[in-house]
Amino acid sequence: MTQGEAARRTVLGAAVLAAGTTVAGLSAGPAAATGTATATGTDRGDGGRRDLPVPAVIGHRGASGYRPEHTLGSYQLALDLGADIVEQDLVPTRDGHLVCRHENEIGSTTDVADHREFASRRTTKSVDGTPVTGWFTEDFTLAELKTLRAEERIPAVRGRNTLYDGRWAVPTFEEVLRWADREGERRGKRVWLHVETKHPSYFRALGLGLEEPLARLLRRHGRAGRDAALFLQSFEPSSIQRLSRLVSAPRVVLLSGAGTRPWDFELAKDPRTVADLVTPGGLKWIAGFAQGIGPTLDLILPRDADGRLGAPTTLVRDAHARGLVLHPYTARNENTFLPAEYRKGTDPTAYGDAFGALRTYFAQGIDALFTDHPDTALLAARDFRPDRAAVNG
């Protein structure tokens, strides 16, 4: 086993892979604490056996293929369907509370447009250089936001999910932490979370920095340590660097298309693009403050002009050589999201050969995968886990 492979397995869970051994703590990054974990079962971040299978399944915004995203209903279903990790995206309210929304613009994910009392708050803002029109969480207090109800974001694709429109409010991250604690107690094992800071530079410029209140919540709920059942993630490396100085929980840098630049790079006039960050030199730089990367799947298996998968890149091999785990995004069941060779029929909303696509993705050696359909991905992932013979009998 190479040094990079050893570090990667430490992050993900050597206890699972090595059948019962204790594991050393996270080693990558200057802020990582020292010492080793102890086999204490279902502790909440103060040391314990790594309990993630490899590859792991991450419920993308919960089970967003079946319920409106970033609701307690979506998170609960993700766990019930077998997700190993459940994702949250964080944005702030005007009074500084962190809430779970994919974007700060909430016109497409809540019923705010039906609230006449908030009609005057519809506006256009520049978010990370892009004009966006709608209603924004930073213009609402938490009390005001709690009068809204969540709705399906893409009803044209997931019309059945609209059945659940209005069932849930917008959750705060603290409510999610309490939910995860309760579920961990009920299930007898830790509930893993994957937490993203959204538009961190944008919000810091408004005086609503995300990292400090997030770190306070993590410390309050015992999820700030290197052995916490939690990953932190951001598309802005500077946000991950800031978090590395505040907490020791494992951290993942998200990577978009090869030709794009993180917004904090744009602001800092840093000429590097994602293409630079996925080189061995760029990955070495990331490994100085993070334990993993979350690349778009196209950075691992590019698609050609017809939407078919091409030859794999060297990203998986290169990242593992630096001891980094890979948590690529996002697998979905519907034809409209699948590579062309895995689509079935002409209805873009119908399910295609999701298992075929998932097998191809997992065969690349990735460590975890974001998916809107955790149950589908779990069945596919089990064929690639060390205990697959026992699972599939």
Side-chain angles (χ1 to χ4, degrees):
M1 181 185 296
T2 65
Q3 182 178 1
E5 177 74 5
R8 182 172 65 90
R9 291 193 177 200
T10 295
V11 173
L12 262 178
V16 174
L17 295 174
T21 60
T22 59
V23 296
L26 295 168
S27 58
T34 59
T36 58
T38 57
T40 57
T42 58
D43 62 280
R44 295 193 185 90
D46 56 349
R49 181 175 295 179
R50 288 296 178 183
D51 46 7
L52 281 179
V54 182
V57 171
I58 307 168
H60 185 233
R61 311 175 197 172
S64 54
Y66 306 112
R67 300 289 187 272
E69 64 190 34
H70 289 313
T71 59
L72 287 177
S74 183
Y75 299 153
Q76 183 68 50
L77 184 60
L79 275 190
D80 292 344
L81 292 176
D84 304 298
I85 311 169
V86 182
E87 185 200 28
Q88 295 77 45
D89 296 327
L90 302 186
V91 293
T93 63
R94 187 172 69 195
D95 46 351
H97 294 275
L98 298 181
V99 296
C100 301
R101 291 287 88 188
H102 176 56
E103 292 291 341
N104 52 325
E105 197 292 301
I106 54 174
S108 63
T109 61
T110 73
D111 63 354
V112 64
D114 297 331
H115 286 250
R116 297 177 62 183
E117 67 273 25
F118 299 136
S120 63
R121 298 194 196 179
R122 189 174 187 270
T123 187
T124 299
K125 300 188 180 191
S126 178
V127 182
D128 293 359
T130 301
V132 181
T133 299
W135 292 262
F136 298 84
T137 59
E138 64 267 26
D139 296 332
F140 290 76
T141 66
L142 179 60
E144 290 172 331
L145 200 64
K146 281 294 188 179
T147 66
L148 309 180
R149 309 300 289 181
E151 295 186 346
E152 170 58 36
R153 181 177 61 89
I154 47 174
V157 177
R158 294 173 175 163
R160 291 183 178 180
N161 290 10
T162 62
L163 173 66
Y164 304 98
D165 285 355
R167 295 287 301 181
W168 296 285
V170 174
T172 67
F173 183 53
E174 186 157 29
E175 288 170 341
V176 173
L177 288 168
R178 291 171 182 162
W179 164 81
D181 288 345
R182 290 193 305 270
E183 284 296 309
E185 291 286 347
R186 185 172 73 86
R187 295 166 184 265
K189 64 179 182 179
R190 303 190 299 173
V191 171
W192 282 75
L193 306 177
H194 216 301
V195 184
E196 181 181 348
T197 56
K198 298 292 296 191
H199 310 301
S201 293
Y202 168 85
F203 286 119
R204 186 161 293 277
L206 297 178
L208 291 170
L210 300 175
E211 294 85 0
E212 292 81 5
L214 172 55
R216 287 194 294 271
L217 285 172
L218 295 179
R219 287 192 290 268
R220 188 181 307 162
H221 287 265
R223 289 179 179 260
R226 59 181 182 157
D227 294 304
L230 174 137
F231 290 95
L232 296 167
Q233 56 173 333
S234 183
F235 281 100
E236 295 189 26
S238 63
S239 182
I240 295 299
Q241 290 174 317
R242 187 182 299 274
L243 284 166
S244 76
R245 296 189 289 269
L246 296 170
V247 297
S248 299
R251 300 169 297 278
V252 172
V253 174
L254 298 173
L255 300 169
S256 189
T260 65
R261 280 202 293 171
W263 182 244
D264 54 344
F265 282 21
E266 294 277 359
L267 294 175
K269 308 302 181 186
D270 187 328
R272 290 177 295 172
T273 66
V274 168
D276 297 307
L277 296 183
V278 296
T279 64
L283 294 169
K284 180 180 179 181
W285 177 73
I286 290 173
F289 56 89
Q291 288 71 42
I293 58 172
T296 173
L297 284 164
D298 290 350
L299 290 174
I300 296 172
L301 283 165
R303 300 192 193 191
D304 64 19
D306 296 322
R308 302 177 68 86
L309 295 180
T313 68
T314 63
L315 180 57
V316 174
R317 182 191 68 196
D318 294 342
H320 285 171
R322 293 296 177 186
L324 295 168
V325 298
L326 289 95
H327 294 181
Y329 65 93
T330 302
R332 300 175 170 101
N333 288 359
E334 294 94 351
N335 278 326
T336 191
F337 303 114
L338 287 169
E341 64 265 46
Y342 295 112
R343 297 169 193 162
K344 291 184 176 181
T346 59
D347 182 355
T349 71
Y351 284 4
D353 181 13
F355 285 115
L358 287 163
R359 282 193 296 270
T360 302
Y361 295 142
F362 284 127
Q364 306 310 307
I366 61 178
D367 304 288
L369 178 66
F370 286 89
T371 176
D372 291 6
H373 301 88
D375 52 341
T376 308
L378 177 62
L379 286 173
R382 282 175 172 168
D383 290 335
F384 292 86
R385 293 178 178 177
D387 60 346
R388 60 187 178 274
V391 170
N392 294 335

